[in-house]
């Protein structure tokens, strides 16, 4: 199981460009919505500022320069916090108000309260653009995952229609049992996070093997050949190895590349790792059943 599981991971890396392509397509669609929305919001803010300060001289380049200075001033050594800061309403509003003040280069004081209202409207427009981008990115991840899983499943553990229906029913029952078990573990609250994580992976492995037996091995192999402590530990080990390989490579990529390149390279890798891990039990049982025939 361990050897075949690792082999399945590396063999299915050939599907790397499937989730990458789908994700990139959805991101492009999201950008095609977000960028015009942001440009429109900023342009409207500049027009409103010019209208409010109609007796002043306006430097339109100052607004863009001011926003870029504010963005560069963030701590990009921690990109997650930087992006969260940019997406916060307070940062956007304060940045816009400050930059609009810089927009007015002569002719008197700005009408601060009116500009603040205009800035709030602009913030809403920019936020809507970012939300659209995030929504399309999430949809791209989900669509890429499903399409890739369909391709990987054809290689590892193809199902017929009745097996798909059976698996859906088994999934529903086992998911309820897993939720009950998780709530029970949380109620006990006497184990550390690491131990709880290990226990969860072992339980998930047991469930995966049981489901795989019901879908692929029932009436073909004995249940104890599939659902055993040894197989649960083997499945745990192979999945742990796949996780280690995928995340080690991801950390290396993130260390030598910027965050954007890192996301586009690491995301498909992690998706394929997750898909292979979810199918390792089925692939094992299907191979075992084929040997018994």
């Amino acid at each position: 199981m361990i050897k075949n599981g690792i082999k399945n991971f590396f063999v299915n890396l050939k599907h790397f460009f499937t989730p990458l392509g789908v994700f990139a397509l959805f991101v492009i669609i999201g950008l095609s919505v977000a960028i015009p929305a942001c440009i429109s919001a900023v342009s409207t803010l500049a027009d409103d500022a010019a209208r409010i300060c109609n007796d002043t001289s306006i430097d339109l380049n100052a607004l863009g320069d001011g926003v870029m200075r504010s963005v560069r001033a963030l701590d990009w050594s921690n990109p997650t916090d930087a992006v969260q800061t940019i997406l916060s309403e307070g940062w956007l509003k304060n940045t816009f108000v400050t930059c609009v003040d810089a927009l007015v280069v002569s002719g008197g004081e700005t009408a601060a309260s009116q500009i603040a209202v205009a800035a709030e409207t602009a913030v809403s427009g920019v936020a809507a653009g970012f939300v659209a981008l995030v929504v399309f990115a999430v949809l791209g991840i989900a669509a890429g995952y499903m399409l890739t899983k369909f391709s990987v499943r054809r290689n590892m553990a193809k199902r017929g229609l009745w097996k798909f229906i059976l698996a859906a029913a088994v999934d529903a029952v086992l998911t309820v049992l897993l939720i009950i078990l998780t709530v029970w573990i949380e109620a006990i609250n006497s184990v550390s996070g690491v131990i709880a994580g290990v226990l969860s992976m072992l339980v998930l492995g047991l469930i995966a093997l049981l489901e795989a037996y019901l879908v692929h091995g029932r009436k073909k192999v004995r249940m104890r050949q599939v659902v055993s402590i040894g197989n649960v530990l083997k499945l745990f080990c192979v999945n742990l190895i796949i996780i280690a390989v995928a995340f080690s490579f991801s950390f290396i990529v993130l260390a030598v590349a910027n965050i954007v390149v890192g996301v586009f390279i690491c995301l498909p890798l992690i998706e394929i790792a997750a898909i292979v891990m979810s199918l390792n039990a089925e692939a094992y049982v299907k191979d075992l059943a084929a040997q018994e025939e």
Side-chain angles (χ1 to χ4, degrees), residues 24-63:
L25 175 62
F26 275 79
V27 168
I28 291 172
I29 296 173
L31 287 172
S32 70
V33 175
I35 292 176
C38 293
I39 292 175
S40 176
V42 173
S43 297
T44 301
L45 176 59
D47 292 342
D48 288 343
R51 177 180 52 80
I52 294 168
C53 309
N54 54 10
D55 293 329
T56 66
S57 130
I58 302 297
D59 180 7
L60 293 176
N61 292 328
L63 180 59

Side-chain angles (χ1 to χ4, degrees), residues 32-285:
S32 70
V33 175
I35 292 176
C38 293
I39 292 175
S40 176
V42 173
S43 297
T44 301
L45 176 59
D47 292 342
D48 288 343
R51 177 180 52 80
I52 294 168
C53 309
N54 54 10
D55 293 329
T56 66
S57 130
I58 302 297
D59 180 7
L60 293 176
N61 292 328
L63 180 59
D65 293 341
V67 172
M68 291 307 300
R69 281 196 300 270
S70 298
V71 171
R72 287 194 295 265
L74 296 174
D75 181 14
W76 287 100
S77 62
N78 191 339
T80 302
D81 290 344
V83 172
Q84 289 178 346
T85 300
I86 291 176
L87 295 178
S88 66
E89 182 177 348
W91 184 89
L92 286 170
K93 180 180 177 181
N94 292 335
T95 300
F96 279 163
V97 170
T98 300
C99 293
V100 169
D101 283 340
L103 195 73
V104 181
V105 296
S106 67
E109 298 181 355
T110 61
S113 60
Q114 296 180 52
I115 290 178
V117 173
E120 289 181 357
T121 302
V123 165
S124 299
V126 172
F130 275 116
V131 168
L133 176 58
V134 171
V135 168
F136 276 104
V138 171
L139 289 175
I141 294 172
Y145 181 88
M146 290 187 292
L147 183 59
T148 305
K149 188 169 185 177
F150 174 78
S151 300
V152 173
R153 179 178 288 282
R154 292 177 62 186
N155 294 334
M156 290 181 59
K158 188 176 181 180
R159 292 175 179 173
L161 178 60
W162 76 269
K163 288 185 178 181
F164 175 82
I165 296 172
L166 176 61
V170 172
D171 273 339
V173 174
L174 295 180
T175 298
V176 172
L177 294 176
L178 180 60
I179 292 173
I180 294 173
L181 179 63
T182 302
V183 172
W184 179 70
I185 292 176
E186 290 290 336
I188 294 176
N189 197 25
S190 59
V191 294
S192 69
V194 174
I195 296 176
V198 171
L199 289 176
S200 297
M201 287 187 67
L202 291 173
V203 171
L204 288 173
L206 177 63
I207 291 174
L209 287 169
L210 179 58
E211 179 183 339
Y213 168 76
L214 294 174
V215 174
H216 296 289
R218 191 168 57 93
K219 297 181 180 180
K220 297 179 181 179
V221 296
R222 290 173 295 177
M223 184 174 179
R224 64 183 180 182
Q225 287 181 268
V226 176
V227 185
S228 65
I229 295 177
N231 282 341
V232 170
L233 293 176
K234 289 177 183 177
L235 187 60
F236 171 79
C237 288
V238 68
N239 287 342
L240 200 62
I241 292 171
I242 292 174
I243 290 173
V245 172
F247 278 92
S248 296
F249 184 78
S250 298
F251 287 138
I252 293 172
V253 171
L254 290 172
V256 300
N258 60 52
I259 186 66
V260 175
V261 174
V263 168
F264 275 88
I265 292 179
C266 298
L267 186 61
L269 182 68
I270 293 174
E271 284 191 20
I272 291 173
I275 291 168
V276 172
M277 288 165 56
S278 70
L279 296 177
N280 268 335
E282 288 191 52
Y284 167 73
V285 176

